[in-house]
Amino acid sequence: MKKQTIYSWGASIVIFLVLMIVTPTIPQSQAYHDFADQRSFFGIPNALNVISNFPFLVIGLLGLVLCYYPDDYFRFSLRGEKLGWTCFFVGVAAVAFGSSYYHLHPDDARLVWDRLPMTIAFTSIMAIFVIERIDEHKGTYSIVPLLLVGLVSILYWRFFDDLRPYALVQFVPCIVIPLMAILLPPMYTHSTYWLWAAGFYLLAKVEEAADKPIYSWTHHILSGHSIKHLCAAMVPVFLTLMLAKRSVQTQRISLYETWKISWTRSRGKGSEEESFECTYSNVAVEETR
């Protein structure tokens, strides 16, 4: 292992330990389990919060199939990409089962199975980004450690009732991935799909926080949490579309540089002024006496 990699992991561990020392513990609030929509349909408790997880199963299984059939449909070209995306789609498909199981009878014990698949998806995406944007070998070797970090964060919360490690695992990718998507040059085209996915995930978190107000605004038709599931499912939808459409870029330019060039060109066109050629002639003026 190179010194740079050792220093990176060492710095990450030190920063994590400092945060754990200087920040207070974050216990799991029991009010979290009190969702707005608790209606039962066809004998299913909290029916819409359960059923709204179905899209995760569909897109997760579709992504898994396309990773391998027909004949490597996504055309992976980097080492570790297929493994990383496989872990991601497994996590997405598992969300349907874990989240449904939790919403049938919400409590801390079942919440573990809701958060574990999401953690698999988060950590897999981080590894995929390292593979594509930084170094394919480091990214490949980081898949298992990152998955273990996610697992440990879940276990730490469950045994010590402290959400801080899990919060880092969940929210660090939400900040780092959009920044990396904008600043680091991609190997593939259609990089803007990452930003669409990040935007839908942010919207899903807003809807989750506004669960009860949205339920009231919709006259008790849909709750914010049910809509959150549908919105969050758009994240793997956009990433699957990206994988299907993308191709290897001949020239690697970051989105930031692309936007900068476009902005410069648009400003240049706007500031262009027409030039006129003026001809001056002498005109005789008669003096009036």
Side-chain angles (χ1 to χ4, degrees), residues 3-23:
K3 287 186 178 180
Q4 187 177 0
T5 304
I6 296 174
Y7 291 152
S8 299
W9 279 101
S12 300
I13 293 171
V14 170
I15 292 172
F16 171 74
L17 292 176
V18 170
L19 288 173
M20 292 295 289
I21 293 171
V22 302
T23 57

Side-chain angles (χ1 to χ4, degrees), residues 19 126 165-180:
L19 288 173
M126 282 298 297
Y166 175 73
L168 286 173
V169 169
Q170 184 180 33
F171 291 110
V172 166
C174 297
I175 299 171
V176 172
I177 288 177
L179 287 176
M180 291 173 69

Side-chain angles (χ1 to χ4, degrees), residues 211-229:
D211 180 33
K212 293 180 179 179
I214 291 176
Y215 192 53
S216 176
W217 296 338
T218 60
H219 301 283
H220 297 181
I221 297 174
L222 287 173
S223 69
H225 203 86
S226 297
I227 300 174
K228 172 243 182 178
H229 287 162

Side-chain angles (χ1 to χ4, degrees), residues 75 78 93 106 126 132 140 146-147 157 164 186 214 238 255:
R75 301 181 301 277
L78 295 173
M126 282 298 297
E132 182 187 333
T140 302
L146 286 173
L147 289 173
W157 155 64
R164 287 178 296 171
I214 291 176
F238 270 96
L255 283 175

Side-chain angles (χ1 to χ4, degrees), residues 9 17 48 55 59 79 85 118 131 187 193 196 232 248 278 284:
W9 279 101
L17 292 176
L48 291 185
I59 192 62
R79 178 186 177 188
W85 283 108
M118 290 190 290
I131 291 171
M187 179 175 180
Y193 279 62
W196 281 104
V248 177
C278 300

